Amino acid sequence: MDIRVQQAAFDLGGEASHFAANQQGQGAIVTFAGIVRDLGQGDLHAMEIEHYPGMTDKALTSIAEEAMKRWALGDVLIIHRFGHLAPQELIMMVATSSKHRKDAFEAAEFLMDYLKSRAPFWKREVTNKGAEWVAARDEDETALSRWGTAKKDPAG
Amino acid sequence: MDVLYFAWVRERIGSPRDVIETPPATVMDLVEELRGKEARYAAAFADLDALRVAVDQELTDFNASLGGAREVAFFPPMTGG
């Protein structure tokens, strides 16, 4: 498992290649990357991502460990950035490997669903109108419920 | 015990951290204590449905005990990914 929380940009292709080159015995690699989305009106200047340094690594590690338990995975990589990001910049990526593609695909979706609402990051969009915290979406919470025994949001 | 605030909770309170000398019994007791401090705290803790809490860096609920806790954090629902 490789979990990285960092301010610096990362090279998606380089990370994916490096991950794929170390998966002896596996047959499938799935990667997902998230980028800063401009809302379409072209008025997004930046996205600022705050995190909870002590908790972030722990939360990501426990999410990755849960994925390793549920699916037959070779390995998991998670990179998540914080700080000031420009539109179209890479925010994060996950990569999973498995013998057959189903495990790698499902585990990558699981990781993303959990990252969205259980990893302590908070996004703020800076637009022409000022800066605003991004609200969590109900759909993100619903997405978690499909993983069955998923831990419920304790406060929600 | 350290009490940490993130995102708009930090902004509303105007500080990232408080130190509490004598920790109350539960998270809810701590919330009541903070609400009584100043209007900005009362505003930040007005709607608990809009808040999440972690004790020693583990998500929990507002009824959780603070026995032995070193760090409590309050923040809005997370928006990672």
Side-chain angles (χ1 to χ4, degrees):
Chain A
M1 270 176 16
D2 185 359
I3 313 284
R4 283 179 254 158
V5 180
Q6 61 189 48
Q7 193 156 9
F10 62 89
D11 171 12
L12 176 61
E15 293 292 350
S17 297
H18 181 258
F19 182 81
N22 288 283
Q23 304 304 327
Q24 289 80 7
Q26 309 303 321
I29 308 287
V30 167
T31 63
F32 172 87
I35 63 171
V36 177
R37 173 179 43 213
D38 197 329
L39 307 163
Q41 291 95 333
D43 62 354
L44 182 76
H45 298 312
M47 176 167 277
E48 287 163 358
I49 302 178
E50 180 171 332
H51 78 123
Y52 178 177
M55 182 176 163
T56 317
D57 276 333
K58 275 193 200 176
L60 294 181
T61 302
S62 106
I63 293 166
E65 281 171 352
E66 180 67 21
M68 299 282 285
K69 260 190 262 171
R70 287 179 179 224
W71 288 276
L73 301 178
D75 201 6
V76 170
L77 165 69
I78 302 175
I79 303 176
H80 203 304
R81 296 177 63 197
F82 61 91
H84 188 93
L85 279 71
Q88 307 299 313
E89 264 192 83
L90 285 160
I91 302 173
M92 53 81 59
M93 73 173 288
V94 301
T96 53
S97 69
S98 60
K99 285 200 165 49
H100 304 287
R101 70 181 184 280
K102 190 164 181 284
D103 289 274
F105 268 123
E106 285 184 6
E109 277 209 87
F110 170 88
L111 290 171
M112 287 312 304
D113 284 349
Y114 263 79
L115 270 166
K116 282 253 166 228
S117 37
R118 292 294 182 277
F121 292 97
W122 299 276
K123 293 185 180 130
R124 182 157 68 167
E125 288 174 343
V126 184
T127 68
N128 293 334
K129 297 182 209 92
E132 205 167 319
W133 293 100
V134 175
R137 302 182 320 156
D138 289 342
E139 299 95 279
D140 292 338
E141 206 54 50
T142 312
L144 276 188
S145 58
R146 69 180 158 140
W147 302 108
T149 58
K151 268 189 280 181
K152 259 200 74 190
D153 184 352
Chain B
M1 188 180 73
D2 288 331
V3 185
L4 309 179
Y5 313 109
F6 292 96
W8 61 253
V9 183
R10 170 178 53 73
E11 289 180 336
R12 213 160 286 182
I13 288 171
S15 161
R17 178 172 174 262
D18 280 310
V19 178
I20 303 282
E21 295 303 333
T22 324
T26 68
V27 173
M28 203 55 222
D29 294 336
L30 174 62
V31 167
E32 290 302 340
E33 187 177 318
L34 292 168
R35 275 174 173 162
K37 263 169 82 116
E38 281 177 54
R40 57 199 167 100
Y41 286 89
F45 288 100
D47 177 13
L48 293 189
D49 285 341
L51 292 179
R52 299 293 178 266
V53 59
V55 173
D56 288 334
Q57 305 175 352
E58 293 274 353
L59 278 178
T60 184
D61 58 63
F62 286 86
N63 299 315
S65 159
L66 291 179
R70 294 178 311 279
E71 188 173 290
V72 179
F74 294 102
F75 41 78
M78 293 153 274
T79 51

